Amino acid sequence: MTTQAPYGTWPSPIDAGLVAANDGRPEFLGAVGEELWWTEPRPREGGRRALMRCPGDGRPPVSVLPAPWNVRNRVIEYGGLPWAGAPRTTGGPLIVFTHFADQRLYALQPDAPHAEPYPLTPLSQLTAGGLRWCDPVVLPERGEVWCVLEEFTGEGPTELRRLLAAVPLDGSAAGDRSRVRELTGDEDRFVTGPRLSPNGRHLAWLAWDHPAMPWDGTRVMTARITEEGTLTGARRIAGGPEESVAQAEFAADGSLLIASDAEGWWNLQRIDAEAVEKATFGGAGQETEAPRVALCPREEEFAGAAWKIGQRWFAPLAAGPVATLHGRGAQRLGVLDPETGELVDAAGPWTEWAPSLAVVDSRVVGIAASPRTSYEIVELDTRTGHTVVLAAPHKDQVDPAYYPEPQIRTFTGPDGRDVHAHVYPPHHPGHTAPDGEAPPYVVWVHGGPTSRSPLVLDLEIAYFTSRGIGVAEVNYGGSTGYGREYRNRLRRQWGVVDVEDCAAVARALAAEGTADPARLAIRGGSAGGWTSAASLTSPLTEGLYACGTISYPILDLTGWATGETHDFESQYLESLVGPLAEVPGRYRERSPLHGAHRVRAPFLLLQGLDDVICPPVQCERFLEQVKGRGVPHTYLAFEGEGHGFRKAETIVRAVESELALYCHAFGLDRDDVPPLEMRT
């Protein structure tokens, strides 16, 4: 029997505590011999990342390190692969990892009696002299771990250098920085971690420089490894200023596999071993274009935007096939025969696979989810085609009848362009709305902006849809998953195309009767916070939204471009908006800070006080412009939170406050969240 009640007033068993407990997913999966290791979120333990071990002998996974160990790093602030391991013939594996609190590199022998991590790198400052490490490769035969080193040379966020380095495994560098060997120079602003050829003679890595982002243009670098463990003959072998190579990996036969968007989509290509060998005998610093073979040319993405160093979209198997993610607007797992180009997808219900693949013999292991399941550790046996959940299995903590039923839709934006979106109508097994009532809808804007919203079970979405509030996730122009042309729509158009595309979806939902035109909202974090704020201050969308939630946003382009963010994105606006020296007026015109006088809708502003990517000063500046204008608003700033919230108590407060905003703006009668204290 169903109960009739207005949209937005339905009761739901999905509370904010449940949302917080299920925030985040497994990440950075890898194999150490027959074992699998990964990191996992712990919202109730201060948001730390636990290091997990799955022995591979039928025993369940275990957390290797107790709190407060936090296996995460801050390289490029978004972090990168924080651990690596190597099997040993006796004594169990050797694991190396970074600890978030001090950013040091540690070693651990988990099977040793009374095993305790011991530091490999010096204790350092957070600014001048600060050292950070990521994307490691453990080389016991050399007695070293090779990885990316990020070293701060001054007090400013852009005063630093990055390079490949070798750290002794005996701990001798823990008190002596000079014991760290620098494998490369620091002429490249950004580098990924080293990838060694099977014979140990060659090294490959990716490099790029300001103002390019890794999805704009990267270079594939190769070098020979001498017997002494130094590099020689380093040179570019592929890539360029208008070609993004997202990943490079050696296959078992010594060929180099890359994911390149040279043809407009990230596709897999192969550079044979002979070409790699020939290239590294050239002079250091020289460039060459090695011949490549396209392995499976398709108008699909076989990789994505490299927001973190060490992501893995494909993984070669020893027998020759390549496990790879691929798709348009989503990524599924397939196994590619590089000789024939045949691609066979893994069976199972999973519709989205994270860029984190591991290979154990003929088995491929990944992290996968679907609209009905959260992210799980899934194994594919390539010999039999069978798939099985190995760890982190999805568990329905409420009746799945409360989960939303998403729709994959394509809307028409300005000039007839396609706008991709996932629409989640209100859904409740025991409640319906009165006839003729259209529901409120919230446009969700993903961060990045060069990223996308995956179609997976998200209890935060279910929190709202099960209460009778619809959600529309918009993969606006500039999002990944639809080729380089779609991605490049945002070039110099940030604050225009993203705002227009989100508005196009909102207006279309209202026009077709799916959404109530008087009860539309917008929300997002980071770059999504920018688009949300821009949508409340832009003349393009005046009067469209009844309210907005803005989380850890960019609000002042000029400030962000002149020292108010971290190095990785410090010149991102060159492509998103244009060079500041050439178009200073555009920076002012598009900034929500300078459009604050146009805000009419109530808003909720959420900010982490430790955020170095989008610092609190931008929020404070914006609030000064809004103050006294009669616009109801609430500002919540959270101590101990950075860019994106990790603590359970923060997530609960943020989710409940967002619902309270909708109660205020949409006129909803609810008693399960406290009302917002709003200022004008």
Side-chain angles (χ1 to χ4, degrees):
M1 182 175 178
T2 59
T3 300
Q4 193 175 82
Y7 285 115
T9 67
W10 303 341
S12 173
I14 303 173
D15 61 19
L18 191 62
V19 173
N22 289 272
D23 185 69
R25 60 173 172 81
E27 196 174 19
F28 295 120
L29 175 70
V32 182
E34 296 288 315
E35 298 183 352
L36 293 169
W37 292 65
W38 64 89
T39 69
E40 215 169 72
R42 292 288 185 269
R44 291 172 176 163
E45 298 177 23
R48 77 179 185 102
R49 299 288 303 193
L51 184 61
M52 303 297 295
R53 179 187 190 183
C54 187
D57 57 4
R59 286 180 290 166
V62 294
S63 176
V64 177
L65 297 164
W69 289 105
N70 187 356
V71 181
R72 180 176 157 226
N73 59 61
R74 288 181 58 181
V75 173
I76 69 168
E77 292 301 346
Y78 290 113
L81 182 64
W83 74 272
R88 298 183 299 173
T89 54
T90 60
L94 174 64
I95 305 298
V96 170
F97 68 93
T98 55
H99 177 43
F100 187 75
D102 59 17
Q103 293 298 299
R104 297 176 88 177
L105 202 59
Y106 287 81
L108 173 68
Q109 300 175 48
D111 294 340
H114 312 294
E116 287 290 336
Y118 60 90
L120 299 180
T121 56
L123 190 63
S124 62
Q125 305 298 316
L126 293 179
T127 52
L131 304 171
R132 299 175 181 176
W133 318 84
C134 85
D135 207 0
V137 176
V138 180
L139 303 172
E141 68 280 6
R142 294 188 178 275
E144 294 178 322
V145 52
W146 290 12
C147 57
V148 174
L149 163 60
E150 181 178 84
E151 181 173 24
F152 282 78
T153 57
E155 297 294 332
T158 62
E159 297 178 70
L160 46 73
R161 58 199 291 260
R162 298 183 185 90
L163 48 96
L164 297 184
V167 178
L169 286 169
D170 62 8
S172 59
D176 184 0
R177 164 69 174 81
S178 68
R179 295 283 295 169
V180 176
R181 290 196 306 120
E182 297 188 359
L183 297 171
T184 65
D186 57 8
E187 58 274 6
D188 295 315
R189 191 64 172 188
F190 302 95
V191 293
T192 63
R195 298 294 180 263
L196 278 74
S197 63
N199 61 14
R201 293 173 52 183
H202 299 95
L203 196 70
W205 68 98
L206 304 180
W208 70 97
D209 297 297
H210 282 318
M213 300 300 285
W215 42 86
D216 295 326
T218 58
R219 300 183 303 280
V220 183
M221 304 296 295
T222 56
R224 276 185 296 122
I225 304 172
T226 68
E227 290 185 3
E228 296 76 25
T230 60
L231 303 185
T232 183
R235 64 192 303 181
R236 182 187 70 86
I237 195 173
E242 291 296 324
E243 178 186 359
S244 168
V245 178
Q247 183 186 341
E249 206 86 33
F250 281 102
D253 63 1
S255 62
L256 184 63
L257 305 181
I258 64 174
S260 164
D261 74 347
E263 301 303 319
W265 298 79
W266 277 303
N267 277 194
L268 297 185
Q269 300 175 346
R270 179 176 59 204
I271 301 171
D272 66 35
E274 183 179 348
V276 174
E277 180 83 20
K278 182 178 178 181
T280 56
F281 275 93
Q286 296 182 12
E287 296 190 355
T288 186
E289 275 294 334
R292 316 180 206 175
V293 175
L295 299 185
C296 186
R298 294 187 181 189
E299 289 191 347
E300 293 184 9
E301 303 284 34
F302 286 70
W307 280 99
K308 295 183 179 182
I309 294 174
Q311 292 176 307
R312 203 178 193 198
W313 289 271
F314 67 87
L317 283 78
V322 180
T324 182
L325 308 185
H326 70 103
R328 298 184 68 160
Q331 291 202 308
R332 55 194 181 274
L333 174 65
V335 178
L336 171 68
D337 183 335
E339 302 305 321
T340 66
E342 182 183 13
L343 181 61
V344 179
D345 286 342
W350 307 282
T351 55
E352 184 71 41
W353 293 71
S356 188
L357 295 177
V359 169
V360 180
D361 299 324
S362 60
R363 293 172 288 142
V364 180
V365 186
I367 303 171
S370 78
R372 307 296 291 179
T373 55
S374 54
Y375 283 98
E376 307 172 293
I377 309 292
V378 180
E379 177 189 271
L380 165 67
D381 188 328
T382 61
R383 292 172 300 182
T384 65
H386 293 164
T387 52
V388 62
V389 176
L390 286 184
H394 169 78
K395 296 178 181 177
D396 290 318
Q397 298 179 50
V398 297
D399 186 338
Y402 288 93
Y403 297 162
E405 298 288 348
Q407 304 166 358
I408 301 173
R409 297 192 56 182
T410 301
F411 295 86
T412 301
D415 303 319
R417 64 178 182 251
D418 287 345
V419 181
H420 303 289
H422 305 146
V423 177
Y424 297 82
H427 179 76
H428 192 292
H431 279 73
T432 60
D435 292 343
E437 181 186 356
Y441 255 82
V442 184
V443 172
W444 280 35
V445 194
H446 65 69
T450 311
S451 183
R452 66 179 172 87
S453 295
L455 188 68
V456 298
L457 177 63
D458 184 338
L459 289 185
E460 189 171 6
I461 291 177
Y463 176 87
F464 293 105
T465 58
S466 62
R467 285 167 168 77
I469 299 172
V471 169
E473 291 183 312
V474 182
N475 285 322
Y476 49 84
S479 301
T480 56
Y482 307 96
R484 184 164 186 132
E485 182 179 350
Y486 193 86
R487 204 164 72 237
N488 283 352
R489 285 185 187 176
L490 212 55
R491 283 196 170 184
R492 301 203 173 196
Q493 294 298 309
W494 198 36
V496 178
V497 165
D498 50 326
V499 170
E500 289 179 339
D501 285 2
C502 289
V505 172
R507 288 179 174 128
L509 291 174
E512 67 188 29
T514 299
D516 182 347
R519 294 190 294 173
L520 297 171
I522 190 165
R523 63 96 81 174
S526 189
W530 151 272
T531 302
S532 298
S535 297
L536 296 182
T537 59
S538 171
L540 298 173
T541 49
E542 186 174 355
L544 178 61
Y545 300 109
C547 63
T549 300
I550 305 165
S551 302
Y552 36 92
I554 301 149
L555 297 168
D556 176 9
L557 292 177
T558 302
W560 211 67
T562 54
E564 286 184 0
T565 191
H566 61 147
D567 184 63
F568 178 60
E569 294 179 275
S570 62
Q571 296 185 35
Y572 195 6
L573 299 184
E574 293 274 315
S575 60
L576 289 175
V577 182
L580 177 59
E582 295 178 14
V583 290
R586 187 182 299 165
Y587 278 63
R588 181 180 179 86
E589 172 191 337
R590 293 189 191 168
S591 291
L593 175 68
H594 299 293
H597 60 282
R598 286 191 289 266
V599 178
R600 299 290 182 270
F603 65 89
L604 170 65
L605 186 56
L606 305 171
Q607 178 67 46
L609 291 177
D610 294 345
D611 194 340
V612 297
I613 296 171
C614 296
V617 66
Q618 295 234 331
C619 290
E620 294 160 7
R621 214 175 283 150
F622 181 75
L623 290 170
E624 279 297 313
Q625 295 299 312
V626 172
K627 186 169 63 176
R629 295 185 178 274
V631 178
H633 63 275
T634 298
Y635 178 48
L636 299 179
F638 300 99
E639 292 185 2
E641 293 283 13
H643 196 66
F645 304 144
R646 296 175 179 272
K647 298 179 181 179
E649 59 269 26
T650 303
I651 297 167
V652 168
R653 181 81 186 280
V655 170
E656 291 185 344
S657 296
E658 185 174 347
L659 179 58
L661 173 69
Y662 302 148
C663 290
H664 171 86
F666 299 155
L668 307 178
D669 183 16
R670 304 195 65 94
D671 59 7
D672 55 347
V673 291
L676 284 179
E677 295 182 10
M678 307 193 83
R679 298 180 178 180
T680 56

